[in-house]
Amino acid sequence: MAIALTYTEQELVSLLRNRDNKAYAYLYDNYASALYSIILQIVSDGELTNDVLQEVFVNIWRRIEQYDATKGRLFTWMMNIARNAAIDTLRSRSYQNSRKNQSIGENVDTIRVTDVIQPGVDTIGLRKVLEKLKEEQRILIELAYFKGYTHEEIAELEKLPLGTVKTRIRNALIQLRGLLK
Amino acid sequence: MNIQEYISSGIVESYVLGLADEAERLEFEQMCARHAEVLAARDAFEMDLEQHAIASAVAPPASLRETILQQLAAEPVAANREVAPVVEQEKVVQMEVTSRPAIPLFMRYAAAAAIILLVASAGLNFYYFTKYREFSQAYDRLLAQQAVLAKNSAVLQTKLSTYEHTVAGLTDTNMVAIKMNGTSAPASPDRSSLATVYWDTRSKDVYLMVNNLPQPETGKQYQLWAIVDNVPVDAGMLDMANGHVMVKMKNIPRAQLFAITLEQAGGSPTPKGPMYVLGKV
């Protein structure tokens, strides 16, 4: 592992499609931490994050043919796989929890920022940037990006017109972008 | 809306972060294909996002690396090549239930019977093959024993005919026996030596029977001589392996004396070694 191999993204994708074990090791060594961070920001549980990261790499392995370079960078594709897998895990877990105490489904309209932002993870990644946004923008990004709700679901949840939700999210994203640089 | 307004509408970020809906996504992909500026803006945001993500990376537990890479190494390869076109989320593909035509009951019994017969046949094959090998080995042993017996029999046959010949010679009235002894020889190394020449008076064939001669040392051999008018004539070499039987020597038409000397193996043209026995005709 001492030898720092470098591939162009095109070479890397080609090797990943050939199921080249070294390429997957390279992928892990270079991107696992970034993906781990993204998952952790969503599930905010170390054990669960391990499981999801494993699932993400298996998904990359299985679905690498579906990666379309014209639609974006490899990392963007992997990041979205990680986000989707993390949200799916979170939902299946809260579904299991809701079976126990029937609270999520019934009290969905009482969700507050304190309920949805997990302690401890708000100092990393996008969450840290999110801190700098206004409260009303922050909760929308939280629900849309970290919880995976559709704009329609958020509109219903927050009792806001759909257009307002869309505009606020767009504005929040534009600000986020400025903060990333 | 011009291109610049479109780019700064937040659609780039929305698309890249996976927050755009289906219609927005399709529109954005078309815009990317048509307008280099849109594509450039997407690339730029992707780069920013990637750099930010790497900068705020959190290292997973070290042991996870091996676990994951080993799991990937164990993933089947070929089956994954045929995948459905791009889908946003994994969908469960219902396996098609394919019903096989029913196999008639008698066919099943026939198949079962065929399998049983096959197994039984294989078993019998093995049994008979083992038997065959046993018998084959026993046959080979018997064949070898038979060969030994035949050889022994041939040896006995030869010995018997030699003895018969000896007996016939001894009882033949035309046969003259000439006793040669050590005491008659001028300086016999062994005075107890004794040998007998049987001379057929009709055919003039000479037979020799050794009664007592010391075993010659290696490289030496006894030679029979017929003394004809004081000249020794070679009458043949004596092979001690024959024992006390009558051995046919050379044909000697005329002789006054017979003698045996010990010579080099193979014989000499004239006697050189010591004389053991001598006998007068």
Side-chain angles (χ1 to χ4, degrees), chain A residues 1-152:
Chain A
M1 290 306 109
I3 303 161
L5 289 167
T6 50
Y7 302 109
T8 66
E9 192 158 303
Q10 210 176 355
E11 284 167 352
L12 182 59
V13 170
S14 167
L15 288 170
L16 294 176
R17 285 188 172 148
N18 285 331
R19 306 304 192 276
D20 182 291
N21 289 332
K22 279 195 199 110
Y24 280 89
Y26 173 86
L27 195 74
Y28 188 93
D29 293 338
N30 286 275
Y31 297 105
S33 303
L35 297 173
Y36 190 83
S37 171
I38 286 161
I39 299 160
L40 187 65
Q41 288 171 55
I42 294 168
V43 303
S44 64
D45 173 306
E47 278 297 306
L48 214 52
T49 304
N50 293 351
D51 295 346
V52 176
L53 186 68
Q54 191 163 347
E55 189 190 326
V56 166
F57 271 89
V58 169
N59 278 337
I60 292 169
W61 172 283
R62 288 182 183 166
R63 291 157 66 180
I64 188 66
E65 270 79 21
Q66 297 172 20
Y67 167 66
D68 182 351
T70 64
K71 290 182 180 174
R73 292 176 60 76
L74 179 65
F75 181 77
T76 307
W77 182 73
M78 294 193 298
M79 189 186 75
N80 280 318
I81 287 179
R83 174 177 168 256
N84 288 334
I87 289 168
D88 284 350
T89 301
L90 200 64
R91 282 185 178 169
S92 70
R93 208 167 65 136
S94 54
Y95 169 75
Q96 283 162 9
N97 289 344
S98 75
R99 300 278 294 184
K100 287 174 198 155
N101 56 25
Q102 296 290 316
S103 61
I104 303 292
E106 289 160 16
N107 307 325
V108 82
D109 54 345
T110 62
I111 285 178
R112 289 290 168 267
V113 173
T114 47
D115 297 328
V116 292
I117 297 176
Q118 319 293 328
V121 296
D122 51 2
T123 56
I124 52 167
L126 284 180
R127 281 201 181 277
K128 195 179 172 186
V129 182
L130 218 56
E131 291 283 293
K132 295 171 184 166
L133 297 180
K134 282 187 284 181
E135 170 83 13
E136 57 164 43
Q137 287 177 323
R138 197 156 54 144
I139 192 165
L140 293 189
I141 296 295
E142 178 65 42
L143 291 171
Y145 186 77
F146 292 103
K147 290 280 176 281
Y149 287 109
T150 64
H151 291 8
E152 287 79 5

Side-chain angles (χ1 to χ4, degrees), chain B residues 130-197:
Chain B
T130 311
K131 279 278 168 215
Y132 159 76
R133 262 211 320 223
E134 283 171 16
F135 285 129
S136 177
Q137 284 164 0
Y139 173 75
D140 285 346
R141 279 198 300 274
L142 286 173
L143 213 58
Q145 282 172 8
Q146 199 266 342
V148 170
L149 287 174
K151 200 174 150 194
N152 288 348
S153 165
V155 169
L156 290 172
Q157 205 75 51
T158 312
K159 274 192 172 175
L160 181 64
S161 74
T162 313
Y163 282 118
E164 275 175 352
H165 198 234
T166 304
V167 171
L170 289 171
T171 52
D172 192 340
T173 49
N174 291 316
M175 202 70 89
V176 177
I178 302 139
K179 281 214 181 299
M180 302 181 291
N181 46 52
T183 48
S184 304
S188 177
D190 186 349
R191 296 178 64 82
S192 67
S193 298
L194 182 66
T196 312
V197 164

